[in-house]
């Protein structure tokens, strides 16, 4: 248990439905990252927050995707009008400490999405 | 184009064998990390290297960062079935706040 909690762990949905994933990092994680991982690939960066501010978004994050971290603690990732290509593991990771030093991430167990 | 190329993509060996996996790039990284990921779980950090030429050991695992900070290797001595998993390298470019991952090397160690 890394202390980073993700829910739900598994989600099966029909194409066109909306889904939301939640990530609860540990309290010391001032930065929070979302990554997507498909079979046979490494994690791909989606977006990250510094406290409640969303500082960077990948080109992978289409307008159907939205992420929030309203109080600088937990975060949600919503996918609207899901497509089969959205099927993947969605990973959340937190980072503690100052802005200096290596960017070491603590990952949650992920939320696996299957779009039928 | 993949920023970090990992090789081999898949490795199946017998318990007790040694192995080396590689992580290569044409870019210079301020730090490079290795993670291990088991099925259905998130990646777990093994080591961070930040200095060119740096060598770190973690029990039977030896990590090396290239002198030019563009590549890294992971050597496992006397592999055990518990070493089975996906080994990911991840690099941080200077001035960026995100980690870029390679595709990983899937290691299967059979008893």
């Amino acid at each position: 248990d890394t202390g980073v909690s993700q829910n739900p762990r598994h989600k099966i949905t029909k194409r066109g439905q909306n889904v939301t994933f939640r990530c609860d990092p540990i309290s010391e994680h001032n930065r929070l990252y979302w990554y997507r991982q498909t079979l046979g690939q490494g994690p791909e960066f989606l977006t990250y927050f510094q406290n409640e501010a969303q500082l960077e978004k990948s080109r992978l994050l289409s307008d159907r995707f939205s992420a929030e971290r309203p109080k600088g603690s937990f975060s949600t990732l919503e996918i609207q009008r899901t497509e089969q290509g959205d099927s993947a593991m969605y990973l959340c990771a937190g980072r503690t400490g100052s802005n200096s030093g290596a960017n070491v991430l603590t990952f949650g167990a992920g939320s696996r999405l299957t779009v039928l | 184009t993949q920023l970090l190329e990992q090789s081999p993509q898949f490795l199946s060996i017998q318990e007790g064998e040694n192995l080396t996996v590689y992580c290569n790039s044409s870019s210079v990284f301020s730090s490079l990390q290795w993670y291990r990921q088991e099925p259905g779980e998130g990646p777990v950090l093994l080591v961070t290297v930040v200095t060119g030429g740096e060598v770190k050991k973690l029990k039977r695992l030896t990590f090396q960062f290239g002198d030019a900070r563009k590549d890294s290797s992971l050597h496992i001595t006397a592999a055990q079935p518990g070493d089975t998993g996906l080994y990911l390298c991840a690099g941080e470019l200077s001035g960026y706040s995100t980690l870029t991952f390679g595709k990983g090397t899937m290691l299967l160690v059979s008893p």
Side-chain angles (χ1 to χ4, degrees), chain A residues 9 33 35 37 41 103-104, chain B residues 33 37 40 45 92 97 99:
Chain A
R9 291 293 312 277
Y33 294 77
Y35 282 80
Q37 185 177 25
Q41 302 292 323
N103 201 12
V104 176
Chain B
Q33 300 161 29
Q37 184 177 24
L45 179 71
E92 183 177 16
S97 300
L99 275 182

Side-chain angles (χ1 to χ4, degrees), chain A residues 29 38 62 77 101 112:
Chain A
H29 285 159
T38 54
S62 76
L77 176 68
R112 179 165 294 285

Side-chain angles (χ1 to χ4, degrees), chain B residues 10-103:
Chain B
F10 183 76
L11 192 55
S12 179
I13 61 172
Q14 295 293 119
E15 182 176 3
E17 292 185 32
N18 302 333
L19 68 116
T20 302
V21 298
Y22 300 92
C23 177
N24 295 297
S25 177
S26 58
S27 299
V28 176
F29 295 98
S30 57
S31 72
L32 196 139
Q33 300 161 29
W34 285 91
Y35 292 78
R36 186 166 78 96
Q37 184 177 24
E38 297 188 21
E41 300 294 329
V44 176
L45 179 71
L46 296 173
V47 77
T48 300
V49 286
V50 296
T51 304
E54 182 175 3
V55 177
K56 282 192 174 180
K57 291 192 175 184
L58 183 66
K59 297 183 181 179
R60 294 175 293 100
L61 278 61
T62 302
F63 304 86
Q64 185 163 10
F65 201 13
D67 291 341
R69 306 207 315 274
K70 293 182 178 181
D71 53 81
S72 181
S73 63
L74 158 60
H75 182 79
I76 302 179
T77 304
Q80 299 177 359
D83 296 327
T84 292
L86 180 68
Y87 288 82
L88 295 157
C89 68
E92 183 177 16
L93 296 169
S94 182
Y96 288 81
S97 300
T98 60
L99 275 182
T100 300
F101 284 82
K103 290 186 177 183

